[in-house]
Amino acid sequence: YLFRRLIVTEVDSEACAHFDRTKRTIQVEGSSCLKCEMVDSQYYLPNDIGISALDCREAFRLLSPKEQMYAHYLSRASWYGGLIVLIQTSPESANIYVLLQKMFRAQAPPQLEAAATAAGLSAEEYQAFLVYAAGLYANMGNYKSFGDTKFIPNLPKEKFKALVWESLAFKQSPGDMEALWGCCCESLYSLEDKQKQLGLGEKGISAYFSGNCCLEDAEFAQKFLDSKNLSAYNTRLFKTEVDGKRCYEVRLASAKKGEYPDEVCFGKHEFEDAVFFVKRGDYAFLMEKVCQNLEKAKDYAANDNQKRMLEEYIHSFACGSVEAHKEGSRYWIKDKGPIVESYIGFIESYRDPFGSRGEFEGFVAVVNKAMSARFAQLVNSAEVLLPELPWPPAFEKDRFLKPDFTSLDVLTFAGSGIPAGINIPNYDDIRQTEGFKNVSLGNVLAVAYATQKDKLTFLEESDKDLYIKWKGPSFEVQDDKGKFNFDQSAVRNPETGELISSWYKGSETWDSKFSTIASSYEECRAECVGLYLCLNKQVLSIFGHEGEDAEEVVYVNWLTMVRAGLLGLEFYTSESKSWRQAHMQARFVILRVLLEAGEGLVGLKECTGADGRPDAVITLDRSKIHTVGKSAIQRFLCRLQVHKSTADVEGGRALYEGYSAVTADGTHNFLHLRETVLLRKEARKMFVQANTYIKDDAVELVEYEGSAAGLIQSFVERFPDDAEKVEAQLLEMTCMDSSCWC
């Protein structure tokens, strides 16, 4: 189980039967010398994976009845919209979701256990089944939200099937359940190379594009969208060929369907040697449910900004207009310091292989006033701190727009995963002229950074206690995402001294211009700003860190980053030479920059662990952080900023991809270190979220235990009024596009 691969030679028929029964066999070659290759453990979720409940009871209790109603309907809108991620993730995700929902609606996890025993599953195999189901719900699909690798059930396929057949859901509706199983059983377990990770073309699976699309198609479609000043955020792309001519369908997410002659971007367009059809109606049923609940939330809005915000969101989701969503985001920015904070829509583009299409996301949270006061103090100090950053003032806006920076306790976060903090909106034109908001998710942090010492890898023993003590506080200081504008007139490159020769033109944006590296590049720039500014004593004092404690926070903050850079190797696919996770690629890049700085700042050596297996230790010389480290980050951050500000894609890509390269050359064999990281990786935690219901004109909060069974039950009870209709619609949407993935 712990070994990543097992090679068996000269296997007899009995041994082969054993491997077949346990479903560990991937391939068998030859006859006299057979090789049975074990499934890589990264494609399973371990039975002991961390699952914790998000505590929001006290925060919710302190809301007024009106605020609770507002939060309830925003949560309903978010949960319905979150189901869109199933359709966005993989062709089979929605089918698997419906299969599991039908099983668990008929029998809760404790009751289904009896059926599992009758079907011949051991206790460990049933737990593996529950963990898989919990993972499917938590990630809203069968690919990890953080890392984009596929995960499959850690029990034999025949055992899974036997459980389906033994379930009450099957006994009640055998035809439907057998058909569902037939739709997803092969893809459920398949680990063919293309299906191991999300990607475009031969590099992986993506439901943002039909299966016949490649990178060239994505680039060509972006060129068309730019020509029409049409955003890709809420779109998917489907390619066909008619009479030898390329035809593309750009499908916009909206509740309404059909073409409208008064809107010129819809309909048929001849473009170069291809034809584009721009259509509405993707995820129409779910988008309508989102709109209905946002309409109800309007009645409980606290002010006009919230009402106008919701009106624009409703228009956006009804008609497929990104411009309306941007307008709603403007009102959201103006809504300063609300008690109930939320944001909803097609937000982050991490999982689009091309980097332009947003995954649906919706969150509802309650402000933590004490921590928010510290963040407000940081924002108020920003105009003093900004000149500290290592680039000329010309590379910033003439006027600093103070953002909201608040700490929130999450009530609802619907989508593929829950981050520790968010910096939104992602529309660069709004960020640069009107502002943005930073939010830190306090109750998520409390769970995510609770670390057990025996699970801390790649650190010296002397560093582990410090890491555990200061990891949380250091994140608060680090989460300071710098977002600055660029004046395009008569600015000189601070590195070369020459006048700039490139800038953003027409409808070009950061995402459309830098595309495949945009998300990771921006995360890297933000992380570097955090590392750089945490060296400032004023920043540290705002968060209550003075003297020796302040130095400990700085040390652990930087140590966390270099360790994260090493851990990032888990999210690199050596076969395709590609990164699967934007944040971890960014942290690996920073590790490379700090290693390159030399002078003993960062040490990285391979060794053998106490268990006799390969290991590694990473060290950081705290005495050189303020000198060697600061200088290295200063230079690198300036280069990142200049390339971004001047739309220098060629220079920015060369810089970033150079540091992102994972090779066996040089001082460190990163390909070999990747094997060690995979050997010792720990599964990412999952969160159980509460549900809200209206009873006797009041909102009730229902919480669940922090376990696989609790996470499953929360989803079973999430759609109490129309679960069967929702599931039928998901199957219909999946069936409609099934031919696009062949």
Side-chain angles (χ1 to χ4, degrees), residues 190-367:
S190 175
L191 282 178
E192 294 180 9
D193 285 346
K194 184 176 178 178
Q195 294 179 324
K196 286 181 178 179
Q197 65 281 315
L198 299 179
L200 190 54
E202 292 305 311
K203 290 189 174 182
I205 290 291
S206 174
Y208 288 105
F209 301 88
S210 56
N212 57 349
C213 284
C214 61
L215 180 60
E216 288 72 21
D217 293 304
E219 290 171 339
F220 183 60
Q222 187 63 55
K223 188 177 178 183
F224 164 75
L225 293 171
D226 287 344
S227 75
K228 298 297 180 184
N229 199 25
L230 191 63
S231 171
Y233 265 117
N234 64 342
T235 70
R236 292 195 294 163
L237 185 70
F238 297 82
K239 176 185 176 183
T240 56
E241 191 170 302
V242 179
D243 298 328
K245 193 169 189 176
R246 288 182 297 169
C247 297
Y248 296 93
E249 179 182 319
V250 178
R251 195 183 298 172
L252 276 67
S254 68
K256 294 182 179 180
K257 299 181 180 180
E259 298 177 7
Y260 293 77
D262 58 320
E263 297 191 43
V264 296
C265 62
F266 291 95
K268 181 179 178 180
H269 303 270
E270 298 279 347
F271 184 76
E272 296 187 7
D273 61 344
V275 177
F276 280 84
F277 296 89
V278 181
K279 298 182 179 181
R280 304 178 196 265
D282 215 4
Y283 332 113
F285 172 81
L286 296 175
M287 297 301 288
E288 177 63 28
K289 299 295 287 188
V290 173
C291 291
Q292 289 170 359
N293 282 281
L294 292 180
E295 193 68 49
K296 292 176 181 177
K298 264 175 56 183
D299 295 336
Y300 302 97
N303 53 56
D304 285 340
N305 278 327
Q306 289 183 0
K307 288 180 181 178
R308 297 292 298 274
M309 169 189 78
L310 293 177
E311 287 170 356
E312 293 294 343
Y313 288 166
I314 292 166
H315 176 61
S316 171
F317 299 149
C319 301
S321 168
V322 171
E323 288 303 314
H325 192 268
K326 291 171 75 171
E327 192 64 23
S329 298
R330 292 185 172 98
Y331 287 111
W332 179 69
I333 293 167
K334 293 174 185 176
D335 185 29
K336 303 291 185 182
I339 300 301
V340 177
E341 183 64 281
S342 68
Y343 197 64
I344 189 170
F346 296 88
I347 313 299
E348 302 292 355
S349 56
Y350 299 126
R351 301 183 91 190
D352 170 15
F354 187 67
S356 295
R357 288 153 187 81
E359 185 174 74
F360 195 94
E361 180 180 289
F363 79 85
V364 185
V366 182
V367 172

Side-chain angles (χ1 to χ4, degrees), residues 330-522:
R330 292 185 172 98
Y331 287 111
W332 179 69
I333 293 167
K334 293 174 185 176
D335 185 29
K336 303 291 185 182
I339 300 301
V340 177
E341 183 64 281
S342 68
Y343 197 64
I344 189 170
F346 296 88
I347 313 299
E348 302 292 355
S349 56
Y350 299 126
R351 301 183 91 190
D352 170 15
F354 187 67
S356 295
R357 288 153 187 81
E359 185 174 74
F360 195 94
E361 180 180 289
F363 79 85
V364 185
V366 182
V367 172
N368 180 318
K369 293 182 179 179
M371 182 55 71
S372 296
R374 292 182 178 180
F375 288 142
Q377 190 178 350
L378 177 67
V379 171
N380 290 333
S381 305
E383 289 177 274
V384 177
L385 296 173
L386 287 180
E388 298 280 324
L389 291 167
W391 51 75
F395 285 79
E396 297 175 16
K397 293 179 293 185
D398 293 333
R399 182 172 63 91
F400 173 66
L401 297 172
K402 291 183 179 180
D404 259 11
F405 201 163
T406 51
S407 178
L408 309 174
D409 286 341
V410 171
L411 169 66
T412 294
F413 206 112
S416 65
I418 309 179
I422 317 170
N423 183 282
I424 39 182
N426 287 331
Y427 306 118
D428 265 359
D429 52 341
I430 293 179
R431 300 176 67 86
Q432 294 176 9
T433 59
E434 298 170 63
F436 52 92
K437 289 185 182 182
N438 288 287
V439 295
S440 177
L441 305 181
N443 57 343
V444 176
L445 280 169
V447 174
Y449 292 117
T451 308
Q452 294 176 264
K453 186 174 180 179
D454 61 351
K455 291 189 175 182
L456 267 182
T457 54
F458 309 127
L459 292 180
E460 291 185 316
E461 287 298 315
S462 58
D463 283 332
K464 290 183 178 180
D465 290 329
L466 282 175
Y467 185 95
I468 291 169
K469 180 179 180 180
W470 295 108
K471 177 66 187 296
S474 74
F475 181 87
E476 293 164 2
V477 176
Q478 171 66 17
D479 190 28
D480 181 6
K481 296 191 174 184
K483 304 285 184 178
F484 309 103
N485 196 5
F486 164 61
D487 181 358
Q488 296 176 353
S489 62
V491 177
R492 294 185 181 274
N493 186 315
E495 282 197 70
T496 65
E498 299 175 356
L499 288 173
I500 62 166
S501 58
S502 61
W503 50 83
Y504 294 94
K505 302 169 185 175
S507 59
E508 291 177 345
T509 65
W510 162 249
D511 282 324
S512 69
K513 193 79 173 167
F514 280 71
S515 63
T516 54
I517 67 166
S519 293
S520 184
Y521 189 108
E522 182 62 4

